[in-house]
Amino acid sequence: MPKWPGNEAPNAVTSETPSKLSGILPSLAALATDSSIGTPTYVYDLDAIAAEARELLRAMSVPAGPRGLVAYAVKANAAGPIVRTLAREGCGADVVSGAELLLALACGISPLHVVYSGVAKTDDELDLAIARGIGAIQAESLEELDRVDARARVAGKTARVSIRVNPQVDASDIGTHAHITTGHDEAKFGVPLGDVEPALTRVTSLSSTSLVGVACHVGSQLTRVEPYVQSARVLFGVAARARAAGAPLEFVDTGGGFGIDYGAGCPVRPADFVGATREAMREAGLGGLALHVEPGRALVAAHGVLLARVIQVKETRVGAERRWLMIDAGMNDLLRPALYQARHRIVAISGGEGEAVPWRVVGPVCESSCDFGEHALPVRPPALVAILDSGAYGFTMASQYNGRALPVEVFLRGGRVVAKTQRAPRDAWAEERASIREA
Ligand SMILES: *Cc1c(COP(=O)(O)O)cnc(C)c1O
């Protein structure tokens, strides 16, 4: 099992175009040549995102029993059309900042369907969450429980809280990248198991908080169900203890992290995680509680691409012969390859002729890590390429490093553009930076 499931993916060839992208690919060449759009540009399929949510929501619904919650992790992709699409399908939101909380509400998600995670929420952010009466502030430490209680008391309210438990299951053993695992022993996230008992004693003695849930989130891009269910079982033990301590528990939240197929395969669907977790819940005698899950990537990643233009090629003839394909998308647009050694498939969109040969695809940013890896593309290279599976942790991590404009975003429904953003003009960044004047 490779450390990062996308790393050792076979090179994509232009002929194998994932059917998931059928709604996007036909439009790409036209979008790139549209003078109001151009490249680099993220293109998303809102229909496919809605269908993805429906499939998971079907798996979440139980004939009798409390309504579960699919709390979409907004940090994966915070664009209005995407959050609104998911809200309309019935998703809630998992947010990690006051700004994300306001965004979720502005996109039509009911406050009670919002959960708020994060290790260092400011007083200002806690006050906002308390004032809006969200579903749960997920406390990640004993210290935070005390702070929430104090802020709620000042506001004259009772805050709905859950305790995020660190189940101490190390997801890096099971094929996900160390930077995106959060459940292992030394992670900064969550209340470690040993501190759970004191946290329960504490929270049940506080007068302005109500412990309505327990939560965990062990990491991202999980391609097997077992470690997820293993941590869920640990969480269910905590839920039973919380109930015994008299907490008015309503839900267990087993987190997100459902993996997708970046090219190396992912045998499980989000619904499989939910099915296995529900089964374990029943076994633990917790069938009467609501199940919350917090998927980000799994709802959006496969339904977005990053469209880029080939600027030029460079062939090195001395020493190791290599063909470099320089494109106009860089690590500032899509950080995952540089940050996590993630591999995204790249396909030709227009132009390109001849046999497929290995091209090392790199961006313009002045960092060696601005590198999308080696890909099989035609020997006479295409004018346009699409970097696949870029719908999650793409634009949300984009920056203006090297004075580059943020990429444009285009949203498709029924194969038509229903929303798009504007690219900042080339001199906007220079003017803005230069306008910081010393007194
Ligand atoms: C990032 C995050 C998620 C979503 O993770 P995905 O891998 O995108 O599903 C869920 N819950 C919390 C607390 C997170 O920080």
Side-chain angles (χ1 to χ4, degrees):
M1 189 87 179
K3 256 299 195 214
W4 172 258
N7 254 355
E8 277 129 66
N11 284 334
V13 288
T14 32
S15 58
E16 83 171 324
T17 298
S19 58
K20 273 181 183 161
L21 291 163
S22 53
I24 297 186
L25 290 180
S27 348
L28 291 181
L31 297 177
T33 48
D34 180 329
S35 62
S36 71
I37 296 173
T39 56
T41 293
Y42 280 99
V43 186
Y44 309 109
D45 182 350
L46 296 176
D47 297 318
I49 290 169
E52 194 78 69
R54 279 196 295 274
E55 183 182 329
L56 179 55
L57 286 159
R58 263 197 305 278
M60 286 290 288
S61 74
V62 270
R67 188 175 178 275
L69 182 72
V70 173
Y72 167 59
V74 169
K75 74 175 190 287
N77 191 322
I82 286 174
V83 181
R84 278 191 295 273
T85 294
L86 291 170
R88 273 196 294 272
E89 295 301 331
C91 292
D94 170 48
V95 302
V96 292
S97 70
E100 282 191 359
L101 169 52
L102 289 173
L103 169 85
L105 300 179
C107 289
I109 295 175
S110 130
L112 272 175
H113 294 160
V114 178
V115 295
Y116 184 0
S117 313
V119 295
K121 307 173 187 87
T122 64
D123 281 355
D124 181 52
E125 289 174 317
L126 291 177
D127 290 350
L128 173 69
I130 291 163
R132 300 301 175 98
I134 66 166
I137 298 173
Q138 317 231 73
E140 306 226 11
S141 59
L142 271 79
E143 293 82 352
E144 186 181 348
L145 284 169
D146 286 336
R147 286 181 56 226
V148 173
D149 191 68
R151 299 314 300 175
R153 194 165 332 109
V154 170
K157 301 208 169 189
T158 301
R160 294 167 55 86
V161 298
S162 69
I163 296 177
R164 176 168 173 190
V165 176
N166 185 338
Q168 284 154 311
V169 173
D170 190 347
S172 66
D173 292 342
I174 46 86
T176 196
H177 190 274
H179 291 181
I180 54 175
T181 66
T182 59
H184 61 91
D185 209 358
E186 288 154 294
K188 68 175 175 175
F189 300 100
V191 174
L193 274 183
D195 286 344
V196 160
E197 212 56 63
L200 290 176
T201 311
R202 177 112 213 137
V203 72
T204 44
S205 76
L206 297 172
S207 58
S208 301
T209 54
S210 173
L211 183 67
V212 292
V214 291
C216 70
H217 171 70
V218 282
S220 207
Q221 185 54 18
L222 305 175
T223 53
R224 293 195 306 123
V225 163
E226 289 75 22
Y228 189 85
V229 176
Q230 197 188 328
S231 9
R233 285 208 182 90
V234 174
L235 184 69
F236 298 158
V238 174
R241 269 145 64 200
R243 271 182 156 179
L249 220 59
E250 297 170 13
F251 68 82
V252 287
D253 182 333
T254 50
F258 310 151
I260 69 134
D261 181 6
Y262 281 104
C266 177
V268 284
R269 297 285 302 152
D272 299 326
F273 287 90
V274 166
T277 305
R278 275 215 184 286
E279 185 57 41
M281 251 175 107
R282 271 192 298 273
E283 282 166 17
L286 297 174
L289 292 178
L291 174 64
H292 288 191
V293 292
E294 304 171 348
R297 185 192 315 274
L299 292 178
V300 293
H303 311 303
V305 304
L306 176 56
L307 177 61
R309 186 182 305 279
V310 173
I311 298 175
Q312 69 160 71
V313 301
K314 171 179 174 180
E315 298 195 26
T316 43
R317 297 162 191 92
V318 185
E321 235 177 78
R322 183 164 268 160
R323 293 183 170 90
W324 301 86
L325 195 67
M326 272 91 172
I327 62 173
D328 68 352
M331 64 184 283
N332 73 296
D333 303 300
L334 179 65
L335 186 59
R336 299 188 66 258
L339 189 60
Y340 308 128
Q341 294 84 53
R343 183 180 170 86
H344 286 252
R345 287 169 291 186
I346 297 182
V347 296
I349 293 306
S350 71
E353 268 175 38
E355 54 170 333
V357 295
W359 285 97
R360 185 73 168 267
V361 182
V362 295
V365 171
C366 292
E367 297 282 345
S368 304
S369 57
C370 186
D371 184 338
F372 298 104
E374 198 161 85
H375 298 267
L377 291 164
V379 64
R380 275 190 297 287
L384 294 170
V385 296
I387 306 178
L388 306 186
D389 306 310
S390 303
Y393 307 107
F395 186 90
T396 49
M397 286 187 168
S399 77
Q400 298 181 90
Y401 186 40
N402 279 204
R404 292 167 49 78
L406 290 176
V408 161
E409 294 182 288
V410 171
F411 305 86
L412 305 178
R413 186 173 285 127
R416 303 169 64 119
V417 176
V418 291
K420 64 184 180 198
T421 61
Q422 274 191 339
R423 199 179 308 279
R426 195 178 48 186
D427 41 8
W429 176 86
E431 282 173 12
E432 188 271 323
R433 295 281 82 194
S435 74
I436 305 172
R437 303 252 174 225
E438 54 278 43

